[in-house]
Amino acid sequence: MTNTTSQAYKPLAPVRPVRFRGGGFRTVPRRFIGLIVFAMLILLWEGGSRTGLISALVLPAPSQALDAFIDLALSGNLQKHVFASLQRLIFGFSLGFTAGLIVGAAIGLNSYMRAGLSPLVAAIFPIPKIALLPLFIIWFGIGEGSKIATIFFGCFFPTVIATYGGIDNVDRTLIRMGQSFNMPHRDIIWKIIMPAALPAILSGMRISASIAIILLVAAEMIGAEFGIGAYVLLAGNLMATDQLIAGVGMLSILGLIVNWLIGTAEKRLLDWRN
């Protein structure tokens, strides 16, 4: 048998399976990495405080902040502060997000609304909303009205921009396809435009929620008897750094809860993308 014939009858190498590459950059959940990083930071902080590397006057140990938190809970004031803050946050955020969603959809879907309201939104949005708090106090008083109005305005404008920005970025091919099938205008809005704009709307919701917590603390530091912001301000005035860290920890937990709620909503509402 010649060399050419032997090469022709040479057995082929076994076929190796190719790794699936169609994930589309889909993230893989890593549940415990964030918890491990957080625990390591707490341990380093606690160790630095106990060894004297971190001054207790400047930054108390996490154990001291936990003791202050437990004392606050046992005194019964924890429920009062948390309930007052949650009430303001939920009310102001709900009103601001709902109104922003309606106005943003109107700007994105109607040329007259866009021409009339878009310049107004662009002019007011850059103004720091905390700078409007003294004006809100004059309008609505020192009570709950001024605080809710501050949170409302802080959530309203990011939601408006995210909503009509998401509508503008909807693939026009999908809209034309619906029109070619003689879909009613209402069905095109609710079955094509709004689902496609939903990722941008939920991103705006996440930003609005973060702004709402920031404005909540700032508003409660002015004329509030109860609230996490009022508690943090009182602890700072008394130089009680352990209570101050406990208040900051409560805000961090509140932010984590809000982030988890929005993340859960995103997973359920945007499951069609997977």
Side-chain angles (χ1 to χ4, degrees):
M1 182 180 294
T2 63
N3 189 23
T4 304
T5 306
S6 63
Q7 290 180 355
Y9 288 95
K10 185 178 182 180
L12 297 176
V15 179
R16 293 181 301 173
V18 179
R19 183 174 58 88
F20 177 68
R21 300 172 182 173
F25 293 97
R26 184 179 179 182
T27 58
V28 179
R30 309 293 184 184
R31 296 183 178 180
F32 300 105
I33 293 180
L35 184 61
I36 292 173
V37 172
F38 182 76
M40 290 177 61
L41 290 175
I42 293 296
L43 290 175
L44 290 174
W45 180 5
E46 182 72 25
S49 298
R50 291 183 178 274
T51 57
L53 294 176
I54 302 176
S55 174
L57 180 62
V58 176
L59 189 64
S63 57
Q64 295 177 338
L66 180 61
D67 293 338
F69 180 82
I70 294 174
D71 293 338
L72 181 65
L74 294 177
S75 66
N77 289 326
L78 175 64
Q79 295 82 352
K80 296 179 181 179
H81 288 298
V82 173
F83 179 76
S85 294
L86 285 178
Q87 188 176 16
R88 295 165 185 144
L89 180 65
I90 293 173
F91 197 46
F93 174 76
S94 300
L95 290 177
F97 180 78
T98 303
L101 184 62
I102 295 173
V103 174
I107 293 175
L109 297 172
N110 188 279
S111 299
Y112 292 99
M113 297 295 290
R114 179 184 293 265
L117 296 179
S118 181
L120 187 62
V121 171
I124 300 178
F125 175 67
I127 300 175
K129 305 308 176 289
I130 192 63
L132 299 175
L133 182 57
L135 186 61
F136 292 151
I137 292 176
I138 296 175
W139 289 352
F140 305 107
I142 196 68
E144 299 299 317
S146 59
K147 299 173 180 59
I148 292 175
T150 303
I151 299 172
F152 171 87
F153 269 78
C155 297
F156 175 78
F157 292 99
T159 305
V160 170
I161 294 174
T163 301
Y164 80 73
I167 292 175
D168 289 345
N169 290 326
V170 174
D171 189 357
R172 297 307 175 198
T173 305
L174 299 176
I175 299 176
R176 296 187 186 99
M177 186 182 299
Q179 292 172 339
S180 66
F181 283 101
N182 292 323
M183 290 182 64
H185 186 69
R186 180 181 300 176
D187 289 344
I188 292 177
I189 292 175
W190 289 108
K191 295 181 179 180
I192 296 178
I193 296 178
M194 296 309 294
L198 193 57
I201 294 173
L202 291 176
S203 297
M205 184 180 185
R206 189 184 295 272
I207 296 173
S208 298
S210 301
I211 294 174
I213 296 176
I214 295 172
L215 293 176
L216 169 70
V217 176
E220 287 180 342
M221 288 183 174
I222 301 177
E225 182 180 1
F226 291 105
I228 301 177
Y231 175 76
V232 169
L233 178 63
L234 179 61
N237 292 334
L238 297 176
M239 295 296 292
T241 53
D242 54 343
Q243 298 178 16
L244 182 61
I245 296 299
V248 173
M250 285 190 285
L251 291 173
S252 178
I253 293 173
L254 180 60
L256 288 174
I257 293 174
V258 171
N259 182 74
W260 177 79
L261 291 174
I262 297 176
T264 303
E266 287 180 342
K267 290 180 181 178
R268 294 191 176 185
L269 296 176
L270 302 179
D271 186 64
W272 52 270
R273 297 190 303 179
N274 298 329

